[in-house]
């Protein structure tokens, strides 16, 4: 295939729809194939990508080093996203750099390389992300060649970290180690990453695209909210995947739909690629950035049609899925657990609250890993912004736990600190309209003080804007930063989202409480949690509790 995207006729072209009252409305956009010229005319980003492939901006770095930041063309600033770079706030020449780490697995030398980049070029900044990446702030354009070379020497890349690419492939952080997993998906993740990462042909997708691959019995990787999720299962004794499609969050959240196919592991890349192909070649989803995600194609065409298009693209029928796999419960993989297949070895899940880790801490953590006698210890990032230390002999668990605690990451904390998420937000993100990580700390600390271990399993997810990097739609309690008018002007506020949930009965939450002033948040949350603790049935989670209450009662509880 070439880099050029072929115009295709939309499925169902020429169909009419019935408007209210029985009037027939002709869908003119579906009457004829769209053209590439129309796309370039309507969508400036598509035109910029056509004028110069974003991966080719790498060739311009020597020139950028010689000119003032202000003289770098805006089009090239956009193309730098393809190497994991976004503007820090304010836009004065500092960037956030995202290192792309398949399934979040790092060796000690790789972790140290990231830490050294942070210390040398990023003012010692660092954060662990929900896509199992590491982000560094305060990066300037001038040293990018040196930074990329240092990361490449450690086997790391930022290519495709941002921009219209397949983003970092996520999964279970203890893949290959967890005794409860259905099978080890590491070979599949490695195969998909090797094919897509830095691949020019797939470096011009309609928008960002997110895969997750896991056979975790608990679905800790949130397959419900991904464009394409490969959900590990077994059928007739064979290892393979169910495919869930069309999930996603942002301002139009969706729970993924089961495609109804069983795909053996050997065919996983082919089928995942095929799904991406039928989307990227459909010009309907290049006309507008607002409607460019895969979930809109799944919405428009339906899962059954997506399967038909995929089978036509592959030239063969796919095997029916006998049973849609479901999680056995919830886990965060925190604490000490025995590994499978390695007698006497353990992994240790360490909470990182609120997902921040300095370059100095990364380097010292690399020293800890290298001190483990197994010689195989790794640093693995989790979806909930924590890390796991692997391959620890039983006799060294206490020493490793103590060393990690001395770095600022004690294990003996309320579990809620390992199950809560805050997006990057202030002071770095240009989209955030309120505090994020500091506000998350404030809320969780207040709940800890008031309720102690009664809220240990609570998941608090907070975002500073509608983009939902902190996944607020599916937290037990979700928060989205916003503003409200007051007599003195705009004040920081938050929408409070309830009823969101992952796993069986997964559902997008509802923002029932709108624009609650920041200084009133803790009181509202305390009342919501207190009502749940006092009124729940045995084992009933907060989302389930509030699903059985009417909206008016929830509003009354929150308001006191």
């Amino acid at each position: 295939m070439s880099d050029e995207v072929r115009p295709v006729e939309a499925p169902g072209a020429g169909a009419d729809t019935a408007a209210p009252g029985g009037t027939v409305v002709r869908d003119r956009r579906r009457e004829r194939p769209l053209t590439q010229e129309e796309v370039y005319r309507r969508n400036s980003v598509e035109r910029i990508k056509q004028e110069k492939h974003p991966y080719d901006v790498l060739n311009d770095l020597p020139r950028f080093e010689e000119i003032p930041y202000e003289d770098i063309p805006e089009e090239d600033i956009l193309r730098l996203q393809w190497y994991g770079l976004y503007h820090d706030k304010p836009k004065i020449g500092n960037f956030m750099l995202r290192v792309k780490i398949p399934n979040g697995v790092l060796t000690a030398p790789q972790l140290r390389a990231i830490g050294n980049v942070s210390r040398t070029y990023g003012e010692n900044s660092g954060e662990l992300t929900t896509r199992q990446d590491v982000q560094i702030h305060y990066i300037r354009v001038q040293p990018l060649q040196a930074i990329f070379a240092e990361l490449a020497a450690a086997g790391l890349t930022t290519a495709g970290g941002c921009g219209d690419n397949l983003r970092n492939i996520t999964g279970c952080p203890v893949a290959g180690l967890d005794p409860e997993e259905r099978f080890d998906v590491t070979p599949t993740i490695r195969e998909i990453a090797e094919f897509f990462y830095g691949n020019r042909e797939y470096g011009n997708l309609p928008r960002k695209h997110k895969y997750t691959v896991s056979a975790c019995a608990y679905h800790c990787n949130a397959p419900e909210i991904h464009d394409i999720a490969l959900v590990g299962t077994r059928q007739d004794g064979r290892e393979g995947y169910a495919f869930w499609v069309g999930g996603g969050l942002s301002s139009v959240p969706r729970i993924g739909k089961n495609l109804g196919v069983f795909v053996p592991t050997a065919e996983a890349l082919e089928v995942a690629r095929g799904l991406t192909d039928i989307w990227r070649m459909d010009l309907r989803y290049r006309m507008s950035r607002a409607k460019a995600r895969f979930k809109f194609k799944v919405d428009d065409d339906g899962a059954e049609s997506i399967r038909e298009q995929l089978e036509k693209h592959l030239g063969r029928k796919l095997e029916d899925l006998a049973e849609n796999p479901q999680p056995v419960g919830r886990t965060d993989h925190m604490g000490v657990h025995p590994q499978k297949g390695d007698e006497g070895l353990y992994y240790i899940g360490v909470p990182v609250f609120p997902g921040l880790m300095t370059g100095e801490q990364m380097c010292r953590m690399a020293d800890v890993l290298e001190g483990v006698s197994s010689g195989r210890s790794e640093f693995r990032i989790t979806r909930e912004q924590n890390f796991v230390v692997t391959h620890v002999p039983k006799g060294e668990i206490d020493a490793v736990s103590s060393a990690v605690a001395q770095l600022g990451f004690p294990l003996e904390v309320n579990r809620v600190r390992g199950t809560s998420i805050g997006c990057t937000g202030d002071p770095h993100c240009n989209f955030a309209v309120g505090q994020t990580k500091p506000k998350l700390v404030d809320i969780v600390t207040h709940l800890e003080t008031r309720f102690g271990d009664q809220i240990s399993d609570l998941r608090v997810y907070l975002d500073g804007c509608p983009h939902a990097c902190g996944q607020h739609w599916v937290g037990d309690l979700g928060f989205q930063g916003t503003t409200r008018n007051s007599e003195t002007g705009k004040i920081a506020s938050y929408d409070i989202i309830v009823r969101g949930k992952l796993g069986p009965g997964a559902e997008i939450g509802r923002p029932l409480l709108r624009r609650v002033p920041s200084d009133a948040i803790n009181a509202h949350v305390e009342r919501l949690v207190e009502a749940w603790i006092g009124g729940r049935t045995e084992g009933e989670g907060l989302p389930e509790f509030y699903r059985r209450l009417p909206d008016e009662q929830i509003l009354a509880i929150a308001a006191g």
Side-chain angles (χ1 to χ4, degrees):
M1 297 180 184
S2 67
D3 287 350
E4 183 67 18
V5 178
R6 300 191 298 272
V8 297
E9 186 167 349
D16 297 336
T17 57
T23 304
V24 174
V25 178
R26 184 168 297 280
D27 187 349
R28 297 186 182 279
R29 191 166 144 193
R30 288 173 173 255
E31 289 181 342
R32 57 171 176 77
L34 298 171
T35 67
Q36 197 76 59
E37 289 68 29
E38 288 179 280
V39 169
Y40 296 150
R41 188 167 60 249
R42 289 276 299 274
N43 189 331
S44 62
V45 175
E46 288 294 319
R47 186 176 64 252
I48 289 169
K49 292 188 291 185
Q50 173 64 19
E51 290 169 352
K52 179 171 69 180
H53 196 294
Y55 279 140
D56 290 340
V57 76
L58 197 66
N59 301 325
D60 297 311
L61 292 186
R63 177 168 60 87
F64 294 164
E65 292 182 1
E66 303 298 326
I67 63 177
Y69 153 77
E70 294 78 8
D71 291 344
I72 300 175
E74 281 297 319
E75 293 84 354
D76 286 328
I77 294 292
L78 174 68
R79 293 183 183 106
L80 285 174
Q81 292 181 11
W82 270 249
Y83 287 95
L85 290 150
Y86 276 127
H87 265 124
D88 270 340
K89 185 171 71 174
K91 295 181 179 180
I92 57 174
N94 289 332
F95 290 82
M96 177 272 288
L97 177 67
R98 180 178 295 155
V99 184
K100 204 171 179 183
I101 307 162
N103 205 27
V105 179
L106 291 168
T107 64
Q110 289 175 326
L111 181 62
R112 183 177 291 108
I114 298 173
N116 283 333
V117 168
S118 168
R119 293 193 304 180
T120 306
Y121 306 104
E123 298 187 14
N124 202 33
S125 64
E127 57 184 328
L128 311 182
T129 80
T130 55
R131 293 211 64 75
Q132 297 170 277
D133 297 308
V134 176
Q135 294 179 171
I136 304 168
H137 296 277
Y138 306 107
I139 298 296
R140 306 291 292 188
V141 172
Q142 285 71 24
L144 280 177
Q145 289 191 96
I147 291 172
F148 291 157
E150 187 167 346
L151 293 174
L156 296 167
T157 185
T158 67
C162 309
D164 300 346
N165 293 278
L166 179 68
R167 298 295 180 85
N168 194 44
I169 301 166
T170 67
C172 173
V174 291
L177 307 179
D178 185 6
E180 294 185 85
E181 71 179 357
R182 295 181 172 100
F183 60 91
D184 182 9
V185 304
T186 302
T188 300
I189 292 176
R190 186 178 297 120
E191 181 185 26
I192 294 176
E194 288 175 353
F195 176 81
F196 279 106
Y197 285 17
N199 187 326
R200 288 177 64 89
E201 184 179 354
Y202 292 87
N204 178 12
L205 301 179
R207 282 273 315 265
K208 60 186 174 183
H209 198 46
K210 297 179 178 179
Y211 285 9
T212 192
V213 183
S214 175
C216 176
Y218 296 87
H219 292 189
C220 70
N221 56 317
E224 301 92 340
I225 56 173
H226 282 74
D227 293 289
I228 298 175
L230 283 67
V231 185
T233 187
R234 289 179 180 271
Q235 189 156 304
D236 299 327
R238 295 167 296 149
E239 297 173 354
Y241 300 97
F243 272 67
W244 297 356
V245 297
L249 296 178
S250 193
S251 57
V252 187
R254 293 286 186 272
I255 296 296
K257 298 176 174 63
N258 176 22
L259 201 59
V261 299
F262 173 80
V263 179
T265 55
E267 301 171 16
L269 172 59
E270 178 194 19
V271 173
R273 181 185 180 186
L275 284 166
T276 299
D277 283 342
I278 64 172
W279 165 65
R280 74 184 180 101
M281 294 176 180
D282 191 335
L283 293 186
R284 290 181 296 165
Y285 304 100
R286 292 182 183 267
M287 294 290 283
S288 166
R289 300 286 289 177
K291 294 287 187 180
R293 294 294 299 276
F294 185 52
K295 63 186 175 185
F296 294 108
K297 180 173 175 63
V298 176
D299 276 354
D300 291 343
D301 297 345
E304 183 176 344
S305 175
I306 294 293
R307 176 174 176 173
E308 291 172 357
Q309 294 172 53
L310 172 63
E311 290 176 334
K312 181 178 179 181
H313 179 79
L314 297 175
R316 60 185 174 86
K317 292 288 187 180
L318 295 173
E319 182 178 347
D320 289 336
L321 178 68
E323 183 178 357
N324 194 27
Q326 295 298 316
V328 298
R330 298 203 305 184
T331 187
D332 49 25
H333 296 298
M334 293 295 96
V336 179
H337 303 270
Q339 294 181 189
K340 71 174 182 180
D342 288 305
E343 191 66 33
L345 293 183
Y346 291 74
Y347 70 81
I348 306 172
V350 181
V352 181
F353 186 66
L356 297 175
M357 189 174 192
T358 68
E360 180 65 26
Q361 287 172 319
M362 293 179 207
C363 291
R364 292 174 61 192
M365 189 64 226
D367 294 338
V368 173
L369 296 176
E370 290 177 337
V372 177
S373 66
S374 70
R376 299 157 57 196
S377 193
E378 296 170 325
F379 180 94
R380 300 190 178 193
I381 303 166
T382 80
R383 180 183 67 86
E384 291 179 307
Q385 300 173 323
N386 306 306
F387 67 79
V388 175
V389 182
T390 72
H391 299 90
V392 179
K394 184 175 183 179
E396 299 175 33
I397 290 173
D398 289 344
V400 171
S401 299
S402 176
V404 170
Q406 291 175 25
L407 294 181
F409 308 111
L411 270 65
E412 303 303 322
V413 296
N414 193 312
R415 197 179 190 90
V416 71
R417 291 181 172 241
T419 58
S420 297
I421 295 172
C423 74
T424 295
D426 274 349
H428 300 296
C429 179
N430 284 282
F431 298 104
V433 294
Q435 283 193 330
T436 49
K437 290 185 184 293
K439 190 61 180 177
L440 176 68
V441 172
D442 180 48
I443 293 170
V444 169
T445 301
H446 180 80
L447 291 176
E448 286 178 324
T449 302
R450 176 69 177 81
F451 300 108
D453 288 340
Q454 294 180 93
I455 50 96
S456 61
D457 289 329
L458 197 65
R459 282 162 164 75
V460 181
Y461 293 177
L462 188 146
D463 275 298
C465 80
H467 289 168
C469 300
Q471 305 177 357
H472 63 267
W473 291 113
V474 292
D476 293 350
L477 282 172
F479 301 84
Q480 181 193 308
T482 183
T483 59
R484 67 179 294 165
N485 294 323
S486 72
E487 294 179 356
T488 58
K490 291 187 180 297
I491 60 173
S493 306
Y494 296 85
D495 291 344
I496 303 178
I497 294 92
V498 296
R499 299 177 180 152
K501 183 178 181 292
L502 297 172
E507 190 172 313
I508 299 299
R510 292 197 58 198
L512 290 183
L513 294 103
R514 296 280 195 171
R515 292 182 169 84
V516 179
S518 180
D519 59 8
I521 283 291
N522 283 352
H524 279 65
V525 174
E526 180 179 329
R527 288 189 284 265
L528 288 168
V529 172
E530 184 175 42
W532 163 58
I533 290 174
R536 62 187 171 182
T537 60
E538 185 176 355
E540 185 176 39
L542 188 142
E544 290 80 9
F545 175 76
Y546 279 112
R547 285 182 187 179
R548 60 182 175 87
L549 299 188
D551 294 357
E552 297 77 12
Q553 187 175 352
I554 297 172
L555 293 171
I557 289 170

